[in-house]
Amino acid sequence: MKLLSIRSNRHTIRYSSFSGMLLCAFMLVILSACSSVSSDSAADQHAQHQQPSSAQSSTAAQTETTATTSDHSMSHGDMSSMAAPEGSSSTIPNQVTTDQKVVNGKEVTLTAQASNLEIEKGKYLPVWTFNNSVPGPQIQVTEGDTVTVHLKNKLDVPVTIHFHGVVLPHAMDGVPGVTQDAVQPGKTFTYTFKAMHAGTYWYHSHQDSLNQIGRGLYGTFVVHPKKALTDDIDRTFVLDEWNDPHTYPANTEQNMTALNSNMGAYNLYTINGRSGNQIDPLYVNTGQQVRLRFVNAGNMTQLLYIPLASYQVVSTDGEDIHKPQKLSNGLLRIAPGERYDIVFTATNQGITTIGAVGDSDFARSMRLPVVVSTQGQRPNVQQVNEEVSRQQQHLTTTDVSGWQELDLMTYGQPAASPFTGNQKYDRQYNLKLSMGVSNGKMAYTINDEAYADLKALTVRTGDTVKITLSAPSGNEDHPMHLHGHVFQVLSRNGKAATGSPVWKDTLNVRPGETYEIAVLADNPGNWMLHCHELHHASMGMMIDFNYEDFQSSYQPDQSINNMSE
Ligand code: C2O
Ligand code: CU
């Protein structure tokens, strides 16, 4: 569990692991003199086609596909010092994050490096980045492409890259101590694999992941189908949450309460590393077809209100939903690690706000204005912000409990699928997710044991495997993620899925729920199955999923601090 203490007066923020080990100390500096271009021009940039920086991708270039355009993430001064200074106070960040780029994944270098993110206007948070942006570059490829990613580590801690949800060979899975040694400072590692399945994915470090993802070491990965999508606008939005030490400036009562909760002390929610008014509106011309890809890179489940008169949720975790019904003004719950693509055609002119539900400033800061207009008739940013604030105020103070929420178990139309609940499976496992004490420490447990003590689930190549996941006690979500595979969700609370076959790589098991999932063991390796609320994973909620007939050629270097969570 990440703890966080803030020394008063010094603007010094400390993160330490659950065991109390001090990982790092950072200074925070308020840069008041940072220049900023007006948001109007950012909006105009948004309207332009964004193309992958490599000329090779034709598919990607057909849609407007960047996740964020920054109007104010400019570089300041000396770029040479990559590591954040330790311990001291009040120097100006010499490195500030830049715009997120779209890159062609046929060959790309991702450099892990320290920077500072302007998380609110004039407020900088020390972050760890890929290529100096948060999120890191969006990697795009086309189905069938061979992806080559060179990881270069310019941080002073070891890192890896895990491609979340991507079915790839074991050696490329990026789990330190399981598939590779963590990449040491100054070193490089090359990931290469074939992108076999179109969809929305993300990548992140898997070394000390609670800490490293929490600091910003992630980005998105989009695999386009061979036959290009027809969307006019295709954008990705990454949800995350942070601790903004400016909001809780010292060891206040409020801060300590937050610290004691498992959520950590999150007090700022972001979309693509920005919050509130800093989030650029999405400008759409009437008649355009729009795809929004949502990715949750944080540790909190977010409930988004989608105030669109007609839209479809067309895919989740990179898997298309079969014949998805039209939805109207619904709620979309997105748990850590999950992805959802929604598609709509802009018809009604006006400003709507896709935003997090919840009566807090935190929730209000997570909102995406969608501005539909005829070309050349756009409201200005001020008008947009005023309208959005009004809508947000209303949303976050309205009881939404009766509102319609997407339920994948009944959504879409049935189609042929390989698994049913009552067929015979080669292996069956029951995993009970809960909380307890393990070896004298508080732990998140599977069948009452924490990771190190848990016996691996074992399979053989070709096995059909049924896993029952249940959370009979507790009041927290457990978004369970299986590496290297996608699985079919058969039932919830004893009721079979009635809509489209549900394929996931991350399944949110909510309090009181029981799910049956089925997976075909067709990707030999040693894989992880863990909760993507990474506090839970780091406190024991993970288990190995190992092939008995797989012999790994990787031998961990015992001198390296490989730390998968
Ligand atoms: Cu998104 Cu094991 O990770
Ligand atoms: Cu959990």
Side-chain angles (χ1 to χ4, degrees):
M1 179 159 88
K2 177 166 68 185
L3 296 183
L4 209 153
S5 68
I6 297 150
R7 284 195 211 148
S8 46
N9 305 326
R10 305 274 301 183
H11 297 291
T12 299
I13 167 174
R14 286 194 169 187
Y15 296 78
S16 63
S17 70
F18 177 65
S19 62
M21 180 181 68
L22 183 70
L23 290 174
C24 207
F26 274 140
M27 317 158 356
L28 286 163
V29 174
I30 301 172
L31 248 202
S32 51
C34 177
S35 55
S36 98
V37 181
S38 89
S39 299
D40 278 316
S41 68
D44 288 331
Q45 284 172 34
H46 251 160
Q48 292 161 16
H49 263 36
Q50 298 277 341
Q51 299 194 358
S53 54
S54 157
Q56 291 163 351
S57 168
S58 53
T59 312
Q62 287 164 12
T63 48
E64 206 184 85
T65 323
T66 186
T68 181
T69 305
S70 175
D71 58 352
H72 49 66
S73 40
M74 305 174 129
S75 296
H76 291 267
D78 174 24
M79 309 272 283
S80 62
S81 168
M82 294 305 191
E86 272 192 37
S88 62
S89 67
S90 69
T91 41
I92 288 167
N94 55 22
Q95 178 89 342
V96 184
T97 54
T98 55
D99 299 355
Q100 187 193 359
K101 304 211 168 43
V102 176
V103 297
N104 188 313
K106 280 188 174 172
E107 182 147 25
V108 55
T109 297
L110 293 182
T111 303
Q113 58 187 97
S115 191
N116 295 277
L117 174 69
E118 190 181 21
I119 196 142
E120 291 175 278
K121 197 123 194 111
K123 294 174 178 179
Y124 287 82
L125 192 69
V127 289
W128 290 349
T129 72
F130 289 113
N131 296 5
N132 199 28
S133 67
V134 176
Q138 178 166 78
I139 301 175
Q140 295 192 3
V141 293
T142 300
E143 206 168 24
D145 283 353
T146 296
V147 181
T148 299
V149 176
H150 306 289
L151 165 62
K152 221 165 144 180
N153 187 5
K154 288 194 179 175
L155 287 168
D156 54 12
V157 294
V159 299
T160 66
I161 296 176
H162 166 64
F163 295 86
H164 180 123
V166 179
V167 174
L168 41 59
H170 168 262
M172 296 292 116
D173 198 40
V175 181
V178 179
T179 68
Q180 69 171 105
D181 288 324
V183 181
Q184 298 302 301
K187 294 284 188 291
T188 62
F189 185 91
T190 297
Y191 297 90
T192 179
F193 56 91
K194 202 167 162 176
M196 293 182 291
H197 199 87
T200 306
Y201 305 93
W202 62 303
Y203 63 87
H204 59 75
S205 180
H206 218 293
Q207 167 77 3
D208 186 16
S209 35
L210 170 60
N211 180 42
Q212 294 198 355
I213 297 174
R215 288 169 186 257
L217 278 174
Y218 59 76
T220 56
F221 178 61
V222 170
V223 182
H224 292 283
K226 282 216 171 85
K227 185 170 177 291
L229 297 170
T230 55
D231 310 298
D232 301 305
I233 294 178
D234 183 335
R235 291 280 185 72
T236 304
F237 298 95
V238 184
L239 314 180
D240 199 358
E241 70 281 323
W242 307 79
N243 177 266
D244 174 6
H246 305 86
T247 307
Y248 293 158
N251 288 316
T252 59
E253 180 88 13
Q254 200 178 15
N255 193 19
M256 294 322 288
T257 309
L259 285 174
N260 289 335
S261 89
N262 291 310
M263 296 300 188
Y266 299 127
N267 58 18
L268 188 75
Y269 298 176
T270 56
I271 298 178
N272 293 339
R274 310 263 211 100
S275 71
N277 282 352
Q278 305 290 102
I279 299 168
D280 293 325
L282 174 69
Y283 288 100
V284 180
N285 295 330
T286 42
Q288 283 185 312
Q289 183 179 310
V290 183
R291 175 178 296 244
L292 309 179
R293 303 170 189 259
F294 290 100
V295 179
N296 190 340
N299 286 312
M300 297 177 62
T301 300
Q302 300 291 353
L303 185 60
L304 294 186
Y305 176 47
I306 316 285
L308 299 168
S310 177
Y311 65 98
Q312 291 164 293
V313 179
V314 294
S315 98
T316 180
D317 292 3
E319 299 291 326
D320 286 349
I321 293 165
H322 185 241
K323 297 202 175 144
Q325 289 91 351
K326 292 244 158 75
L327 300 171
S328 180
N329 301 310
L331 298 172
L332 181 62
R333 190 179 298 269
I334 310 181
E338 281 192 304
R339 289 90 62 210
Y340 289 88
D341 290 14
I342 76 171
V343 167
F344 66 95
T345 300
T347 44
N348 304 331
Q349 292 192 39
I351 300 166
T352 51
T353 311
I354 295 176
V357 168
D359 183 16
S360 70
D361 287 341
F362 314 161
R364 274 185 280 274
S365 69
M366 182 179 273
R367 89 285 196 286
L368 173 70
V370 179
V371 182
V372 178
S373 60
T374 48
Q375 217 151 3
Q377 302 261 311
R378 289 177 177 173
N380 67 36
V381 165
Q382 171 113 20
Q383 288 169 319
V384 173
N385 281 337
E386 275 166 22
E387 176 57 19
V388 165
S389 301
R390 200 188 59 73
Q391 292 177 4
Q392 273 299 88
Q393 188 64 32
H394 178 70
L395 173 63
T396 52
T397 53
T398 302
D399 178 11
V400 299
S401 51
W403 295 13
Q404 198 194 6
E405 181 184 324
L406 176 75
D407 181 5
L408 287 178
M409 300 300 288
T410 57
Y411 187 59
Q413 296 297 327
S417 68
F419 297 116
T420 62
N422 38 32
Q423 79 191 68
K424 207 180 144 321
Y425 286 86
D426 298 313
R427 311 264 171 150
Q428 295 203 31
Y429 291 104
N430 285 312
L431 304 180
K432 184 189 73 172
L433 312 172
S434 58
M435 218 174 107
V437 173
S438 171
N439 298 321
K441 279 192 289 191
M442 190 180 115
Y444 283 86
T445 56
I446 297 176
N447 296 342
D448 302 315
E449 288 191 302
Y451 179 60
D453 301 325
L454 274 162
K455 232 174 102 238
L457 309 182
T458 55
V459 298
R460 291 188 79 82
T461 306
D463 279 353
T464 53
V465 185
K466 183 161 102 173
I467 303 173
T468 304
L469 295 161
S470 63
S473 61
N475 55 8
E476 292 177 274
D477 287 7
H478 299 300
M480 298 300 290
H481 171 50
L482 176 62
H483 287 211
H485 303 75
V486 289
F487 50 83
Q488 191 186 341
V489 183
L490 304 172
S491 72
R492 179 182 57 212
N493 303 336
K495 273 203 210 111
T498 57
S500 163
V502 182
W503 290 97
K504 300 284 290 175
D505 57 62
T506 307
L507 175 66
N508 191 21
V509 182
R510 305 198 65 217
E513 289 182 338
T514 298
Y515 286 93
E516 290 175 306
I517 66 173
V519 59
L520 177 65
D522 62 354
N523 192 10
N526 297 326
W527 307 96
M528 312 265 346
L529 171 60
H530 65 87
C531 185
H532 226 285
E533 208 299 19
L534 295 170
H535 299 90
H536 299 182
S538 67
M539 291 171 74
M541 197 173 275
M542 4 182 230
I543 191 165
D544 294 316
F545 183 93
N546 292 349
Y547 283 62
E548 294 165 351
D549 53 345
F550 173 74
Q551 201 42 58
S552 178
S553 56
Y554 161 64
Q555 293 293 339
D557 178 340
Q558 297 302 338
S559 70
I560 282 177
N561 179 22
N562 285 312
M563 189 180 168
S564 61
E565 296 297 336

